[in-house]
Amino acid sequence: MTEKYIKNAEFNLIHNQVALIKDSYKKNAAPNVIQAVKDLANTKIIELFPNATIEQKEMLDLSALKTDQEYDKYMKQLQDYLIPFPKISEAQLKKMFPKNKKLKLPDLDKINLDQLSYLSWVDISTNKKFIVFELEEKMVGIECKYNLLQKDNICSFCNRFGQVAYISTITKAKKAKNPDYYKAIGNYICFDSKECNKKITNVDYLTTFLQESLGEKTVQ
């Protein structure tokens, strides 16, 4: 049996491609149109896994599928190969935020690690949102101030339109000629991180945001 090899964001992208194919069937699209949608979906899925084994490529291939039941079975099978978010303890979380002596922690026992690209929770009493992510094989965390917006907007992480909060954090970058220098960076992101994790299909922006927030490079 092949090892787990699918990350949450990749699984979400595959799910989106399957949804497009199923929608084409429901709309009674012409056979050549459906075939084009399937071919494009197959290409996008295979490109996610450039190092896939022959067994994995066969598993990912959806070209022979036709019915909703077959696509549902396909997605259910792929769920068994999801790479879970790294297990993390309360002690590890506290170590990530040493300056926060009254750190409010999430209930880790109630979190499904299989459906996470990043871990996030809020402390309503302090208007703070915490984000934990595996960056270059190391677990890192940032603390952000948040302001829940009244109007829906686009999330910078998952590109989903919905309820968002404006988050801002102070980078750790230093400026050589000004020791008091600081730079605040902000983004609109989903207030509900659980929903965000269900929709995110690419972690490039999330990665860049964490790298910039945690950057140690000197700013000239």
Side-chain angles (χ1 to χ4, degrees):
M1 182 174 289
T2 190
E3 62 183 8
K4 294 180 183 291
Y5 65 100
I6 303 173
K7 296 179 181 179
N8 177 65
E10 295 166 341
F11 182 82
N12 291 341
L13 189 147
I14 295 172
H15 180 272
N16 288 354
Q17 293 303 309
V18 167
L20 288 173
I21 297 172
K22 290 169 73 173
D23 189 57
S24 297
Y25 276 109
K26 289 177 182 177
K27 291 180 177 177
N28 294 315
N32 64 317
V33 173
I34 292 176
Q35 189 59 52
V37 174
K38 290 174 72 172
D39 289 344
L40 182 58
N42 244 345
T43 298
K44 288 184 176 181
I45 292 169
I46 294 299
E47 286 179 347
L48 288 174
F49 308 95
N51 300 316
T53 64
I54 294 176
E55 182 183 1
Q56 290 167 345
K57 288 179 179 179
E58 290 176 349
M59 185 186 301
L60 292 165
D61 184 5
L62 47 66
S63 59
L65 308 182
K66 294 181 180 179
T67 67
D68 279 3
Q69 290 74 17
E70 289 175 333
Y71 284 111
D72 292 342
K73 183 179 179 181
Y74 169 83
M75 293 303 303
K76 188 174 181 179
Q77 179 186 19
L78 293 185
Q79 274 188 316
D80 293 334
Y81 298 93
L82 271 170
I83 300 172
F85 190 78
K87 288 186 178 181
I88 193 164
S89 66
E90 290 187 356
Q92 286 174 294
L93 290 177
K94 289 178 181 178
K95 191 174 181 180
M96 289 182 190
F97 306 100
K99 294 182 180 180
N100 194 320
K101 303 303 181 184
K102 297 182 179 180
L103 180 65
K104 180 181 178 181
L105 295 173
D107 188 343
L108 297 175
D109 292 332
K110 294 183 179 180
I111 297 174
N112 184 355
L113 298 180
D114 286 339
Q115 296 180 331
L116 289 187
S117 289
Y118 68 96
L119 172 65
S120 182
W121 70 97
V122 298
D123 183 347
I124 298 176
S125 63
T126 59
N127 272 92
K128 288 184 178 179
K129 187 171 180 68
F130 301 86
I131 299 173
V132 173
F133 182 63
E134 186 176 27
L135 189 62
E136 298 176 356
E137 300 184 356
K138 178 183 177 183
M139 297 299 289
V140 297
I142 61 170
E143 182 177 314
C144 310
K145 280 287 189 181
Y146 78 84
N147 180 29
L148 189 59
L149 302 188
Q150 296 301 314
K151 293 184 178 180
D152 290 350
N153 211 318
I154 300 294
C155 170
S156 298
F157 293 170
C158 71
N159 292 315
R160 165 180 169 266
F161 185 80
Q163 185 182 42
V164 299
Y166 178 77
I167 62 167
S168 60
T169 187
I170 306 299
T171 73
K172 294 183 179 180
K174 303 298 181 183
K175 194 168 184 178
K177 297 180 180 179
N178 185 0
D180 296 323
Y181 169 86
Y182 72 90
K183 177 185 177 184
I185 54 176
N187 281 281
Y188 294 117
I189 70 167
C190 289
F191 184 68
D192 187 339
S193 60
K194 183 177 180 180
E195 287 302 312
C196 189
N197 273 290
K198 289 180 181 178
K199 301 294 182 182
I200 190 168
T201 59
N202 188 304
V203 297
D204 288 351
Y205 189 90
L206 173 60
T207 299
T208 299
F209 176 64
L210 267 292
Q211 286 175 330
E212 185 175 357
S213 299
L214 297 166
E216 298 291 348
K217 293 183 179 180
T218 298
V219 178
Q220 299 300 325

